[in-house]
Amino acid sequence: PVISCCPPVTAFPSSFLGIAFLGIGLWAWNEKGVLSNISSITDLGGFDPVWLFLVVGGVMFILGFAGCIGALRENTFLLKFFSVFLGIIFFLELTAGVLAFVFKDWIKDQLYFFINNNIRAYRDDIDLQNLIDFTQEYWQCCGAFGADDWNLNIYFNCTDSNASRERCGVPFSCCTKDPAEDVINTQCGYDARQKPEVDQQIVIYTKGCVPQFEKWLQDNLTIVAGIFIGIALLQIFGICLAQNLVSDIEAVRASW
């Protein structure tokens, strides 16, 4: 028999992580009542972060399962599937990177559209709300290109017909932080956009998340590039291991 521990060793963690991600995603959907009402999946106007866990978990589980079982059972079909599937993912990542570099302005417009679409659905889903709040706090930004983007949300817009107490305000995650405050003031953004722009800069972040993300990317370009190169090398390593194992199995079988 052909003995190779490398593919199982690299695939086992992927399989278990995939199961963990899938479990977290399904648990989150169960908590939100999605599993008891599948049609509600399409009701959310914005992006549901649970999809990230389900898609990433599903891909990792499929790759892990194919790699583990293929290597342990010396199944060339599963090993070839593992290799081709990983190759497709690598090609898609490479294509996305090239397109993102060539069509930077288009990517920026799509990111602007994506953020604003989720601003509209801010109160529709707690996971989306937490994701937006985390993004705005981490990058110290507000809206896609500025605080006025929150006019797109029915609770925060400045129209006269808006009876919400949050009218002409912003979420608390847009507020500048006082290190002396231990408790988060969730009402700090009330009426913030009714103030003059000079006064707004004191109480809330006025820079948009798109330019702040661009600045963060430029400041951490070496780290980000290193991470992507590391992931690409791991994928290439996995493909080579799988192909090498397939060749060994077919060579042994040919000698029978």
Side-chain angles (χ1 to χ4, degrees):
V2 177
I3 299 173
S4 177
C5 64
C6 292
V9 167
T10 56
F12 266 127
S14 175
S15 183
F16 283 122
L17 279 175
I19 293 173
F21 273 49
L22 286 171
I24 292 170
L26 293 173
W27 171 80
W29 266 2
N30 183 62
E31 288 294 303
K32 294 191 290 188
V34 174
L35 295 182
S36 58
N37 183 19
I38 299 298
S39 62
S40 62
I41 292 176
T42 58
D43 291 343
L44 180 62
F47 172 71
D48 188 348
V50 175
W51 279 111
L52 277 177
F53 287 92
L54 294 175
V55 172
V56 172
V59 170
M60 292 179 71
F61 174 74
I62 291 171
L63 280 173
F65 178 82
C68 286
I69 304 301
L72 291 173
R73 303 297 298 174
E74 299 181 3
N75 187 309
T76 55
F77 173 78
L78 287 177
L79 287 171
K80 288 177 181 178
F81 173 81
F82 173 86
S83 180
V84 171
F85 195 15
L86 202 56
I88 291 172
I89 293 173
F90 175 77
F91 175 76
L92 291 175
E93 290 170 349
L94 187 64
T95 303
V98 172
L99 291 177
F101 180 78
V102 175
F103 301 103
K104 287 184 287 188
D105 292 335
W106 182 83
I107 294 295
K108 187 186 295 185
D109 291 341
Q110 293 304 306
L111 188 59
Y112 174 71
F113 173 80
F114 176 78
I115 294 175
N116 282 342
N117 191 46
N118 287 296
I119 283 175
R120 293 186 182 93
Y122 177 73
R123 293 293 190 203
D124 296 348
D125 182 80
I126 187 63
D127 292 327
L128 174 62
Q129 183 175 315
N130 290 335
L131 179 62
I132 292 174
D133 286 335
F134 170 79
T135 301
Q136 293 189 144
E137 286 180 328
Y138 183 79
W139 280 314
Q140 298 184 350
C141 58
C142 193
F145 280 99
D148 285 337
D149 287 330
W150 282 97
N151 274 326
L152 296 170
N153 187 277
I154 59 173
Y155 300 102
F156 294 100
N157 69 58
C158 293
T159 57
D160 295 332
S161 59
N162 184 10
S164 170
R165 178 61 189 88
E166 296 174 309
R167 177 182 176 273
C168 234
V170 291
F172 74 90
S173 53
C174 284
C175 297
T176 55
K177 300 298 180 287
D178 185 353
E181 290 185 356
D182 295 329
V183 180
I184 297 175
N185 178 11
T186 57
Q187 300 179 358
C188 60
Y190 285 9
D191 305 319
R193 290 186 294 118
Q194 289 182 334
K195 301 175 182 178
E197 187 173 346
V198 177
D199 295 333
Q200 284 185 28
Q201 295 176 0
I202 300 174
V203 294
I204 64 171
Y205 304 123
T206 54
K207 294 180 180 179
C209 291
V210 173
Q212 284 295 89
F213 172 71
E214 287 181 312
K215 180 179 180 298
W216 176 87
L217 203 57
Q218 291 173 355
D219 294 341
N220 299 276
L221 189 59
T222 304
I223 297 173
V224 174
I227 291 172
F228 276 101
I229 290 172
I231 293 173
L233 290 176
L234 282 175
Q235 290 172 332
I236 294 171
F237 182 62
I239 293 170
C240 292
L241 282 176
Q243 289 298 107
N244 182 60
L245 186 52
V246 168
S247 298
D248 288 345
I249 294 171
E250 290 178 344
V252 169
R253 289 177 177 173
S255 65
W256 289 352

